[in-house]
Amino acid sequence: MYSLSDFDFELPQELIAQTPLAERSASRLLQVLPDAMIDRAFADIVDLLAPGDLLVFNDTRVLKARFFGVKETGGKVEVLVERVIDSAHVHAQIRASKSPVQGMSIRLADAFDVIVGARVGEFYELQFPGDVFELIEAHGRLPLPPYIEHAADAYDETRYQTVYAKTPGAVAAPTAGLHFDQALLDTLKARDVQFAYVTLHVGAGTFQPVRNENLAEHNMHSEWYTISQETVDAVRATQAAGHNIVAVGTTSMRALESASQSGSLQAGSADTRLFITPGYTFKTVTRLITNFHLPKSTLLMLVSAFAGYDAIRAAYQHAISQRYRFFSYGDAMFLTRMPPC
């Protein structure tokens, strides 16, 4: 029913947030209702959630996944770790004037050498000389999104990470969670709002626009997630009590919906290529907290499926006219699931 051009829009460059606000919860929040839009402060989220509602957070932690290096031939390279495979191997994007060959050595950050392994789709397998997580943390750089124009500094290393980040593995932050500071979390707990966690390691593919006008031809990027039985139990108890399942971000949404394809949420770990477009029937999530997304992106299609195409179109027009801040360091929306047709 929809094609790629239906998800394009003009965004003034100056509305792309380049730095975070001084306080996490000081951002704006656009509440999108079927028949209205309400401009709020993000801290108002405490008034939009009822006791017993369940907030589901993505506890992934962003890796310092970007490296600059030199091939053994002398050529310069840029490496972006996409996924940690095990304690010594990763899949990574490699930018170089000439593609590296299997068996080649690359020196990263002038600190250690990796060996290029087999090509895996658009990625290369790299063998590290020691513990992957330790070397990445010690020598890598935080990989800010491509639309942020400054190099990551110490402030970004704190602010491009949620306060509850726990499980390392992402190359991009679950940005809806960036609005929550500890004081806000404490206030929500005091009001008997419930918390649960999933892990979905956000990949660089999250920033890639869809290029096929026919959405059915799009090859969705893969991301790894895990959902514990504890979270499943919390979701089922919330549903039984008639309260809302509130996904904090599209990454939490994708994990929950990917694990609900049988009709109800199941615990476990898997890769997901779930591509949510208008017409999708949501199985678990009833509310969504999310930032504003890139034109022609899979995430814009997801929120259009959730809240309704016309409602999201109007919300983005409103946000632009009211000078909301967009993308990772920008403002947020609070969405309600559109009733099934």
Side-chain angles (χ1 to χ4, degrees):
M1 188 168 81
Y2 292 99
S3 58
L4 179 60
S5 55
D6 292 317
F7 298 94
D8 197 11
F9 64 93
E10 292 292 328
L11 179 68
Q13 187 74 17
E14 66 270 17
L15 296 186
I16 301 175
Q18 295 295 316
T19 55
L21 298 177
E23 296 181 19
R24 289 178 183 266
S25 60
S27 51
R28 298 167 73 187
L29 179 69
L30 179 60
Q31 183 184 7
V32 181
L33 298 169
D35 56 355
M37 278 172 281
I38 304 173
D39 297 304
R40 296 182 176 273
F42 191 82
D44 291 345
I45 198 71
V46 298
D47 299 318
L48 300 178
L49 300 171
D53 283 350
L54 181 69
L55 282 172
V56 183
F57 299 94
N58 180 7
D59 70 2
T60 188
R61 186 170 186 84
V62 183
L63 299 170
K64 294 181 181 179
R66 175 166 282 126
F67 290 89
F68 296 93
V70 182
K71 293 188 288 187
E72 59 191 26
T73 56
K76 294 182 179 180
V77 300
E78 180 180 348
V79 170
L80 179 65
V81 174
E82 170 72 14
R83 179 180 296 205
V84 175
I85 305 304
D86 56 36
S87 61
H89 297 86
V90 306
H91 288 165
Q93 297 177 9
I94 299 180
R95 291 183 181 178
S97 57
K98 292 181 67 175
S99 298
V101 296
Q102 191 167 350
M104 174 181 284
S105 176
I106 298 176
R107 186 153 188 84
L108 296 182
D110 198 25
F112 62 95
D113 297 326
V114 296
I115 304 300
V116 178
R119 189 79 183 258
V120 184
E122 62 184 302
F123 306 114
Y124 292 86
E125 184 174 296
L126 298 180
Q127 180 178 335
F128 277 54
D131 182 85
V132 164
F133 289 112
E134 291 180 3
L135 289 168
I136 287 175
E137 183 62 28
H139 302 289
R141 302 185 186 186
L142 193 74
L144 289 177
Y147 46 75
I148 292 181
E149 297 170 354
H150 67 271
D153 56 23
Y155 188 56
D156 292 299
E157 289 182 9
T158 299
R159 291 302 303 275
Y160 193 65
Q161 201 83 262
T162 63
V163 297
Y164 49 81
K166 176 183 176 183
T167 310
V171 299
T175 54
L178 298 179
H179 302 285
F180 290 86
D181 55 28
Q182 193 57 52
L184 182 56
L185 293 172
D186 291 344
T187 298
L188 289 165
K189 279 187 176 180
R191 296 195 178 196
D192 204 27
V193 174
Q194 304 300 302
F195 296 173
Y197 298 88
V198 299
T199 303
L200 183 141
H201 291 323
V202 192
T206 193
F207 301 117
Q208 295 301 315
V210 178
R211 293 185 170 85
N212 301 94
E213 187 65 20
N214 181 354
L215 301 184
E217 297 175 359
H218 176 63
N219 183 26
M220 187 70 177
H221 62 282
S222 176
E223 292 173 318
W224 180 90
Y225 73 89
T226 188
I227 296 179
S228 67
Q229 187 60 48
E230 181 181 10
T231 291
V232 171
D233 293 344
V235 167
R236 291 178 180 169
T238 302
Q239 292 170 325
H243 296 299
N244 285 305
I245 308 299
V246 186
V248 180
T250 56
T251 61
S252 296
M253 163 84 83
R254 287 192 72 224
L256 290 168
E257 291 296 319
S258 295
S260 301
Q261 291 304 292
S262 66
S264 63
L265 185 65
Q266 305 295 318
S269 302
D271 281 306
T272 178
R273 291 183 176 271
L274 182 63
F275 182 24
I276 296 176
T277 58
Y280 175 86
T281 300
F282 289 88
K283 300 166 182 64
T284 296
V285 179
T286 61
R287 301 287 187 272
L288 174 64
I289 300 167
T290 184
N291 282 21
F292 294 91
H293 304 293
L294 294 161
K296 298 183 176 181
S297 66
T298 61
L299 301 182
L300 180 56
M301 296 167 194
L302 182 155
V303 296
S304 298
F306 187 76
Y309 177 84
D310 292 339
I312 291 297
R313 196 81 182 172
Y316 273 59
Q317 291 171 353
H318 177 86
I320 291 170
S321 70
Q322 297 302 309
R323 312 295 289 175
Y324 275 69
R325 303 166 79 246
F326 274 65
F327 306 159
S328 293
Y329 278 151
D331 297 313
M333 294 188 292
F334 184 74
L335 305 178
T336 297
R337 185 173 75 187
M338 181 177 64
C341 296

